[in-house]
Amino acid sequence: MIKIYKDWNFPDTQYVREATEKRQIVLHHTVSGDSVNGDMSWWLHTTERVATAYVISREGHLHRCFDDKYWAYHLGLTTHHFAKFGLNYRKLDPHAIGIELDSWGALVQHTDGKFYPVTRKDGKVVPNLKCKAVPNIYEYCSNQKYRGFQYYERYTTAQLATLKDLLRHLMDTHHISPNYKSDIWNVTARALTGSEGIFAHASYRQDKSDVHPQVELDNMLKAL
Ligand SMILES: [Zn+2]
């Protein structure tokens, strides 16, 4: 059983109210601060049907945006993402359940020694000093950066515990096998061909770094 902290009941202009067979579960992070309300109001003010069915806050609270039998756009795929693998475009969003973890994602260190979310200026990645410094850091080895970044916000223990319960529930409800392989941390044809399993957004797109392979997350996925 999963415990839904808040059901947002998105209006049906924000997702596609068409029940589809689900084959994949895709993990994202929001690149945002400590306010699920902020994520939601941003999504709700757009006219596009871009959303994920669930968002998990840093405290581990599970927010549901819409019933997971329906779908919305969250992969952002175009023909060129497929062409690199010699594949034709296929519409994967209707068959993929999206889950967002609230997190800043990639961080860079400022001269004050603290870590800030990244922003791009003149093509360069610089610390976004408009945001508060992020205290909860996950560090990769300098020779094993993930998608070009050495530092990320660490997904919390509470977040990963809620995610595990949610994944078990969704696997059960939609009869999805996790089919874990470490290739999910790279772009993989398994993701792009719509193979059954649990994937990261980064499994589909080289320009994405969500979710990052924090060891606790990787171990949890392996053990499902
Ligand atoms: Zn994403």
Side-chain angles (χ1 to χ4, degrees):
M1 272 301 288
I2 49 163
K3 191 173 148 242
I4 291 166
Y5 176 81
K6 183 163 176 182
D7 203 336
W8 288 76
N9 275 316
F10 274 20
D12 56 15
T13 50
Q14 295 295 321
Y15 65 93
V16 184
R17 205 177 162 82
E18 168 199 20
T20 47
E21 191 207 347
K22 301 301 189 294
R23 290 191 292 268
Q24 299 185 318
I25 301 172
V26 184
L27 309 179
H28 299 260
H29 60 223
T30 51
V31 189
S32 66
D34 232 352
S35 160
V36 173
N37 290 0
D39 305 333
M40 298 300 180
S41 60
W42 183 81
W43 272 344
L44 288 169
H45 102 267
T46 64
T47 53
E48 289 164 337
R49 292 166 197 255
V50 174
T52 57
Y54 297 96
V55 179
I56 303 173
S57 73
R58 290 170 176 84
E59 306 99 299
H61 294 157
L62 178 62
H63 295 257
R64 180 163 74 175
C65 303
F66 58 87
D67 190 317
D68 57 51
K69 68 181 173 211
Y70 303 124
W71 64 280
Y73 292 93
H74 56 95
L75 294 169
L77 297 172
T78 58
T79 48
H80 84 267
H81 295 110
F82 293 86
K84 282 183 196 157
F85 281 85
L87 300 168
N88 289 324
Y89 175 82
R90 55 175 90 192
K91 209 171 166 183
L92 295 175
D93 296 273
H95 308 290
I97 300 173
I99 303 170
E100 293 271 8
L101 299 178
D102 244 5
S103 199
W104 276 115
L107 306 172
V108 286
Q109 194 168 23
H110 183 52
T111 49
D112 66 4
K114 294 177 177 168
F115 295 87
Y116 294 85
V118 300
T119 189
R120 281 165 217 274
K121 254 188 201 163
D122 313 322
K124 275 189 193 155
V125 174
V126 294
N128 184 353
L129 299 175
K130 285 182 193 154
C131 299
K132 281 190 207 152
V134 176
N136 201 5
I137 311 299
Y138 188 80
E139 183 178 356
Y140 290 91
C141 298
S142 57
N143 61 356
Q144 279 189 325
K145 293 178 182 177
Y146 188 64
R147 297 279 156 101
F149 293 97
Q150 189 173 358
Y151 305 101
Y152 283 81
E153 184 172 2
R154 178 185 279 275
Y155 305 124
T156 69
T157 306
Q159 230 166 6
L160 296 180
T162 300
L163 176 62
K164 184 178 172 184
D165 289 345
L166 177 60
L167 289 173
R168 288 221 165 114
H169 167 79
L170 294 174
M171 284 158 51
D172 211 42
T173 312
H174 297 279
H175 312 290
I176 298 171
S177 299
N179 292 330
Y180 175 89
K181 283 186 193 168
S182 59
D183 67 346
I184 61 169
W185 305 117
N186 295 303
V187 178
T188 166
R190 283 203 306 135
L192 289 166
T193 51
S195 290
E196 181 177 338
I198 299 174
F199 295 94
H201 199 187
S203 319
Y204 301 78
R205 290 174 54 172
Q206 193 59 43
D207 61 326
K208 292 287 173 184
S209 53
D210 63 324
V211 282
H212 65 90
Q214 184 174 317
V215 67
E216 294 85 358
L217 171 60
D218 190 45
N219 287 341
M220 184 268 277
L221 295 176
K222 257 182 219 164
L224 282 172

